[in-house]
Amino acid sequence: METSTHTTWAPLLEGREASEAWEAIESVARALENPGEFLNLKHTLMDGLPGPALFFGYLSLVTGDESYRRRSLGLLDQAIDELAIAPSDITLMTGFAGLAWSVEHLQGRVCERTGEDLNEGIDDAILQALAVVPETEWPTGHDMMFGVAGMGIYALERLPRGAAKEILERVIERLDRLAERSDDGLAWMSSSKPLPPDLKATWPDGYYNLGVAHGLPGVVGFLGMALAAGFERERLRAMIADAVRWLLARTIPHANGSSFTTFYPPFDAPPARSGWCYGNPAIAACLSIAARAAGDASLLERAQDFALESATRSSHETGIIDPGLCHGAAGLGHILNRFYRATGDERLGQGARFWINHTLQMRRPGVGLAGYLAFREGRGEQEPRHITDPGFLNGISGTGLALLAAVSTVPPDWDRVLLATVPPAAAD
């Protein structure tokens, strides 16, 4: 999957706004030269070295600056060295699969492929896990961040090399086996094991997660990408149709720009925030990927309606309080930018500009990293707080990538790992 998903890409911002974005991007680049401490293990995609590697890689593509290219490759090498000495799980966001995805993505873009296959051993480890690890031992079973769908996202990036085809076949088989079938359609239940005690008491037997990061919409997005790649078309069409039917039956009407809750049950919970992890924006992106792959015009229209609801939701209702990709201003702005480029709908363009500009307004030079702080929710005895984060999902690397996408002509294909690469409304 080395080629761009779109044939064209254009800057969202111009003039003074573009100049402000470039000032922020350059500040991110300076901060990432000496980012300080990473939040977790350095080889992880979520908040380790691969995020800065992706940022510098795309910065080199946009500017043609050789020093940024060398920086990107050096960070990847450092992450690989860290993986060799650190404990790791298999997952996409906090394990070695995310680093492998980053290596695969940047090869052929930032550097030429060599005869050595850096991810051959990763393929073997994933295949072994898919063959022997029971469903109950995957951290969250089906999801894309920590579950088997994430293995599929890695394999899609790997195609046609190595064991990518075999990994995808096993992932699809595992997801089919994990699915619950009912009159409502197809769904995947999340275990309550990883939840904090209060939520575990609420759902002792499990619950249905309605977010892209941990739930059914992310699986739909992955299945759509696999269908677009030509895999098991009859099976995947049926799985997508049934899973979408289950999800759409759980929309909440007239919810101030959010059509979904965070969890199910209960059905009358508050509407989700607007972000990549939960809420309309990324769910709309996943539905559009599946709709385009399946040739479902009505679902494509429904997905675009969900995106429009996100673009017009008042800022105080979104729950956005920080700049990052996961649940922040840059993430919402980037997804709306994707929809704007896919549809040409100026309402989506206005929403994208608002949130990218809001990302710029959040910047406070001299504070945090590059003027940005990430928000970390309270866990256990820790209170919610703002922190410095150089990483991809919540930190300045991801924010910088979204800003780059708003001022350049280089397609932001890094967002494939987030299932946010909204396909064009009409074939190129």
Side-chain angles (χ1 to χ4, degrees):
M1 272 201 168
E2 289 180 9
T3 57
S4 168
T5 306
H6 293 312
T7 57
T8 60
W9 186 260
L12 176 72
L13 304 182
E14 297 178 344
R16 178 185 58 79
E17 293 175 342
S19 296
E20 290 180 5
W22 271 112
E23 183 180 338
I25 290 164
E26 290 164 359
S27 181
V28 169
R30 289 192 297 271
L32 289 177
E33 289 291 340
N34 186 23
E37 291 297 316
F38 286 85
L39 298 179
N40 290 298
L41 297 172
K42 290 184 179 179
H43 67 270
T44 65
L45 174 58
M46 183 166 77
D47 49 19
L49 291 164
L54 287 167
F55 170 77
F56 280 113
Y58 271 84
L59 188 56
S60 74
L61 294 175
V62 172
T63 65
D65 191 319
E66 174 66 14
S67 67
Y68 293 142
R69 188 186 75 87
R70 291 196 301 269
R71 180 66 174 148
S72 175
L73 297 178
L75 288 164
L76 276 185
D77 286 342
Q78 189 179 345
I80 292 168
D81 290 343
E82 290 286 339
L83 176 60
I85 61 174
S88 182
D89 61 40
I90 196 173
T91 66
L92 184 66
M93 283 294 163
T94 59
F96 57 74
L99 171 57
W101 185 95
S102 304
V103 169
E104 202 67 44
H105 186 75
L106 289 174
Q107 286 189 95
R109 285 181 171 82
V110 176
C111 63
E112 296 296 326
R113 291 188 178 276
T114 65
E116 181 184 9
D117 187 347
L118 297 175
N119 283 335
E120 186 175 8
I122 301 295
D123 286 1
D124 292 342
I126 291 173
L127 283 173
Q128 182 178 7
L130 289 169
V132 303
V133 177
E135 278 82 351
T136 54
E137 292 185 21
W138 284 85
T140 49
H142 58 277
D143 81 25
M144 59 83 64
M145 279 190 69
F146 308 128
V148 295
M151 304 302 96
I153 291 171
Y154 158 74
L156 284 167
E157 198 64 29
R158 183 104 162 102
L159 283 174
R161 286 169 291 280
K165 182 175 182 292
E166 186 177 356
I167 292 171
L168 280 163
E169 289 168 348
R170 291 195 187 182
V171 166
I172 292 166
E173 177 62 36
R174 179 70 67 102
L175 288 171
D176 199 356
R177 194 164 68 244
L178 279 169
E180 295 183 355
R181 289 168 168 83
S182 69
D183 291 342
D184 287 347
L186 197 67
W188 289 267
M189 177 172 275
S190 296
S191 169
S192 59
K193 257 194 228 180
L195 296 177
D198 57 332
L199 294 180
K200 195 178 292 186
T202 303
W203 297 293
D205 300 319
Y207 68 102
Y208 297 97
N209 191 297
L210 302 185
V212 167
H214 302 296
L216 180 147
V219 178
V220 168
F222 159 69
L223 295 177
M225 289 179 68
L227 178 60
F231 277 81
E232 303 199 37
R233 298 191 67 82
E234 186 174 342
R235 183 200 287 209
L236 291 185
R237 282 179 184 275
M239 290 176 71
I240 289 169
D242 287 345
V244 167
R245 179 161 56 89
W246 189 96
L247 179 64
L248 293 182
R250 281 147 187 83
T251 57
I252 49 178
H254 312 299
N256 300 317
S258 182
S259 304
F260 299 93
T261 60
T262 301
F263 306 123
Y264 176 82
F267 198 75
D268 58 353
R273 60 192 176 196
S274 294
W276 169 74
C277 48
Y278 293 101
N280 276 30
I283 292 175
C286 287
L287 291 177
S288 71
I289 290 168
R292 171 59 64 194
D296 188 334
S298 63
L299 178 59
L300 190 62
E301 185 177 354
R302 190 79 181 272
Q304 291 165 8
D305 286 343
F306 289 146
L308 275 171
E309 290 171 2
S310 300
T312 56
R313 192 180 194 188
S314 64
S315 58
H316 73 274
E317 291 173 329
T318 62
I320 288 176
I321 58 174
D322 72 346
L325 290 178
C326 183
H327 45 256
L332 177 53
H334 180 72
I335 294 172
L336 292 176
N337 193 13
R338 271 293 190 184
F339 269 102
Y340 175 49
R341 293 299 164 206
T343 65
D345 190 322
E346 186 53 39
R347 292 171 295 177
L348 292 163
Q350 289 174 1
R353 289 186 196 93
F354 175 87
W355 285 107
I356 292 297
N357 279 316
H358 193 63
T359 305
L360 296 173
Q361 292 160 13
M362 286 180 161
R363 184 167 168 258
R364 299 287 183 269
V367 174
L369 289 172
Y372 286 117
L373 289 169
F375 179 74
R376 170 163 279 195
E377 295 178 346
R379 296 176 184 174
E381 297 180 357
Q382 290 184 334
E383 294 294 322
R385 64 202 189 280
H386 284 87
I387 58 172
T388 59
D389 185 349
F392 172 70
L393 197 58
N394 295 292
I396 62 171
S397 295
T399 300
L401 282 164
L403 293 175
L404 262 179
V407 295
S408 79
T409 59
V410 174
D413 293 331
W414 53 265
D415 62 9
R416 287 205 289 253
V417 77
L418 299 178
L419 302 170
T421 312
V422 179
D428 289 341

